Structure formats: structure tokens, C-alpha cells
Amino acid sequence: MQCCPAFFRGRRFNLAAACLSVALLLSTASSAMAVPPGEISWTSLVAAAYRALGAKDPDPGTRNPDYLAGRLLDKDFLDKLLRLPEDYQAALAKYRQRGSSTFYYMTARTKYIDQVLIQEAMAGAEQVVILGAGLDSRAYRFQLQFPQVRFFEVDLPATQANKKQRVKAALGGLPVGVAYVAVDFDKDDLGQMLAKAGYRNDRRTLFIWEAVSYYLQEAGVRATLDFVAKQAKPGSSLVFDYLTQEALDRIKSGQSGQRGSAARARHGEPFTFGIKRGHVRDFLAKSGLVLVEELQARDMVGRFLISSTGQVLGLPSKSIHLVLVEIPSH
Ligand SMILES: C[S@@+](CC[C@H](N)C(=O)[O-])C[C@H]1O[C@@H](n2cnc3c(N)ncnc32)[C@H](O)[C@@H]1O
């Protein structure tokens, strides 16, 4: 496999620079800094907490399929991370009072990416590379169903080390068939690290890049897309999500989302990147990638958020879109 020497070097995932620029833009983020060394990414815990809450939904029509999320978190995670009670109905009622939309988006996102994984594995994908894996549990939930698939979890060394401890405690050990690739995207060469871990660019692959692009600089987003375009076998796929530029501008100018924004900045993980509505196809084309489909909030409701009795669970955020991408012939 060819390496991409410039990949993830320099400014690509430069959280320090990202934090500095957001600190300048947000008065609430004056003490923003990168994720403290040795600590697990806070946003990865929060994302898993939303999934764990959604997995408690008694209705299979709207339940989040990530039944392992809660087992990878500390016992009091709902209170600690989302300030919600343990009981699902009580938590949902309290969440609704807040008028937020993240929880519904998270449920739609998990269901969509799971669906893509199942489709790809059934169509012959042999590798799943999870970029910025956090507490993603797909390797453990899908390994038995698709034993031919090798999973690669890529993340910062500290977040990954912490996650491995959690997986050992929850599952009794680290499963074979999962390669853990500790990568600091600021310093390391992802292509080289993946190759060392056994990644093959002659095998059909699904890349999952969930809840990561909006924490990067544009150069980092472009480098990731270029890497996938050049290092994946044609016919492979990428699924990811992006924040709209319009929403990012509203957050930066203080018009919306200030509480969440301040919390992310405090933990060294501010939003830094967005794509203008209606421009994702062109944005992908610059890397030679082909847009297969884009899901906005209204699409997610119809596909993933209708209960068994026909009720809408809730309206997901309009600020984040889900995207499926095909890697064409080089
Ligand atoms: C919001 S979390 C998403 C985690 C997971 N994909 C999910 O959806 O639950 C962002 C992830 O990107 C990872 N990340 C951020 N900066 C990174 C860097 N410089 N190198 C490697 N991983 C990074 C974090 O460690 C974290 O796991």
C-alpha cells in the first residue's frame, strides 16, 4: 500500500490551533485548549451517552441500536454527561423541556450508519475503518454477523487506551478481528499506521467518519477525503456527517448553541469546520469523490424516527447532514 506522507501532519487535526481560533471568536471560550494529554475525548463520551439513552427506548421502531453504549460508560453517565435521570421516560421528558434536537439526530445517525455498514458488508466489504472511533461499538456489535470483516479503530492514543480498558471491562477482553490504530492526526502518518496494522488498499472498505469533520480545520477535512480517494479500493464507501457552514456561522456569532459551544471549547473540542448547504457534492468532487446521498433532518425523520405507532420521536438538528460517498476508479 502506498502511504500518504503528508496525511494528518501539520495542521490537519490541529486542535490547538482550532481551539485558539474559536477562543478568539467566542467570549465564552477564553480558556479553550486541546483535549488534555492522557484524557479521553469528552465529546466521544457525550456521543456515547446519547446512544445509551436512545438504546433504552422501549419502542423498537425508534430505539437506538447501540445496545453496548451504556456498558462502555460509567454507571452514572446520564447524570454526569447529560444531566438527565436514569429512567428513560423521565429523561426524555426532561430532555424535551430543553427543546434540543441532538438526541434525535444521534439516534438517526446511529441507525443510518449501521444500515450502511450492513449494506456494505453484504455487498462484499472486507474492512471497516472507523476514523476518530471514540466509543463506537460497531466492531463488537457486528463482528459475529460479518466474520469476514476486519475492523480498524483509529483514534488518539489516550482516548483509545481508555476505550480499550472499557471494552475489556464490558466484554471480558479485546476481540480478535479488531485492530486498534493509535494515531495522533497532528503528528502521525495514518496511511503508514493503517498499513502496519494490516489495512489493505486492494480490499473493498467502508470508512466511517462519524462526528469528526466539524472538529477539524478545512485542511484536515480535505486531507482525509484525499486519503480515502487515493488509498481505498474503487467501489469502497465513506459515510460521514458535516455541520452546515450556516450553523457554524450562527454559533460563532453567538446567535445560537452557546451553551454547547462553550462546553465543547472548555474540553478542547470546539466546532471549527462547516460546508455550505447545497455544496457538499462539489466539495467532494474536488477530491474525486462521488456523492451517493445526503440526508437532511426531514429525511432522517421519515427513515429513522417514526415509532411503531406512527408517532414522530422528535425532530433532529437541521444543522448536521449525513452523507454517503462512493470511491470511484482512480
Ligand atoms: C465527537 S468524538 C466522535 C467519536 C465517535 N466517532 C462517535 O461518533 O461516537 C470525536 C473523535 O475524534 C477523535 N479525534 C479528535 N482529534 C483527533 C486527533 N488529532 N487524532 C486522532 N483522533 C482525534 C477524538 O479522540 C474522538 O474520539
Side-chain angles (χ1 to χ4, degrees):
M1 189 190 95
Q2 265 194 341
C3 295
C4 180
F7 189 69
F8 288 137
R9 286 215 175 117
R11 294 175 311 234
R12 303 265 161 90
F13 272 70
N14 193 336
L15 277 178
C19 294
L20 181 61
S21 58
V22 169
L24 292 171
L25 287 161
L26 297 172
S27 58
T28 47
S30 56
S31 62
M33 53 183 284
V35 176
E39 284 192 18
I40 185 168
S41 149
W42 176 76
T43 60
S44 74
L45 295 175
V46 171
Y50 277 115
R51 293 195 291 270
L53 173 61
K56 289 175 169 232
D57 187 340
D59 186 331
T62 45
R63 186 182 304 149
N64 189 306
D66 191 353
Y67 60 89
L68 285 179
R71 290 173 59 189
L72 295 176
L73 290 162
D74 303 329
K75 278 209 162 22
D76 54 349
F77 71 91
L78 273 182
D79 178 39
K80 216 161 73 181
L81 293 163
L82 302 178
R83 284 169 291 110
L84 291 172
E86 279 299 311
D87 175 70
Y88 176 74
Q89 297 299 353
L92 203 60
K94 194 163 175 210
Y95 183 78
R96 284 193 168 125
Q97 281 170 8
R98 292 184 194 164
S100 180
S101 51
T102 310
F103 166 69
Y104 311 116
Y105 170 68
M106 296 284 193
T107 292
R109 182 171 77 189
T110 310
K111 291 173 86 170
Y112 179 63
I113 297 180
D114 277 11
Q115 198 178 77
V116 169
L117 190 156
I118 292 166
Q119 279 164 4
E120 284 302 301
M122 289 179 69
E126 295 175 276
Q127 302 179 121
V128 173
V129 177
I130 307 174
L131 297 166
L135 297 187
D136 189 305
S137 69
R138 293 188 177 90
Y140 321 105
R141 289 189 289 121
F142 287 106
Q143 220 186 11
L144 277 181
Q145 195 178 347
F146 301 114
Q148 83 282 7
V149 172
R150 180 137 181 86
F151 287 87
F152 297 82
E153 291 197 2
V154 181
D155 212 329
L156 282 169
T159 293
Q160 187 159 85
N162 187 299
K163 195 249 186 91
K164 281 161 87 174
Q165 292 305 323
R166 290 167 189 264
V167 171
K168 278 185 203 160
L171 306 181
L174 294 177
V176 290
V178 184
Y180 296 92
V181 191
V183 169
D184 182 336
F185 296 157
D186 280 331
K187 298 180 186 155
D188 302 323
D189 182 325
L190 178 70
Q192 212 168 49
M193 305 296 267
L194 271 177
K196 261 194 216 161
Y199 169 80
R200 297 265 307 264
N201 62 4
D202 59 351
R203 293 195 174 157
R204 182 169 171 160
T205 301
L206 169 64
F207 291 85
I208 296 174
W209 196 30
E210 180 181 17
V212 185
S213 72
Y214 24 98
Y215 298 100
L216 312 183
Q217 301 296 305
E218 180 164 352
V221 173
R222 181 58 66 200
T224 307
L225 296 176
D226 287 349
F227 170 79
V228 169
K230 289 181 190 125
Q231 296 291 329
K233 184 181 178 185
S236 295
S237 302
L238 161 71
V239 62
F240 76 103
D241 60 347
Y242 74 89
L243 182 68
T244 67
Q245 182 65 49
E246 291 82 350
L248 183 63
D249 291 344
R250 281 196 301 276
I251 292 170
K252 283 183 172 178
S253 65
Q255 287 173 271
S256 68
Q258 289 311 282
R259 189 191 285 192
S261 171
R264 283 187 297 274
R266 258 200 321 278
H267 288 91
E269 298 176 278
F271 286 163
T272 49
F273 174 78
I275 300 174
K276 270 175 99 172
R277 280 179 180 278
H279 283 69
V280 73
R281 184 182 296 279
D282 292 346
F283 190 83
L284 291 165
K286 284 185 189 152
S287 291
L289 294 167
V290 177
L291 176 69
V292 176
E293 71 171 347
E294 176 175 17
L295 270 65
Q296 305 191 22
R298 59 173 178 269
D299 310 307
M300 296 177 210
V301 172
R303 282 174 68 170
F304 303 114
L305 298 172
I306 307 287
S307 75
S308 304
T309 54
Q311 306 296 308
V312 173
L313 175 68
L315 301 177
S317 167
K318 290 183 179 163
S319 304
I320 309 187
H321 295 187
L322 283 159
V323 175
L324 180 61
V325 179
E326 187 191 315
I327 291 90
S329 299
H330 301 308

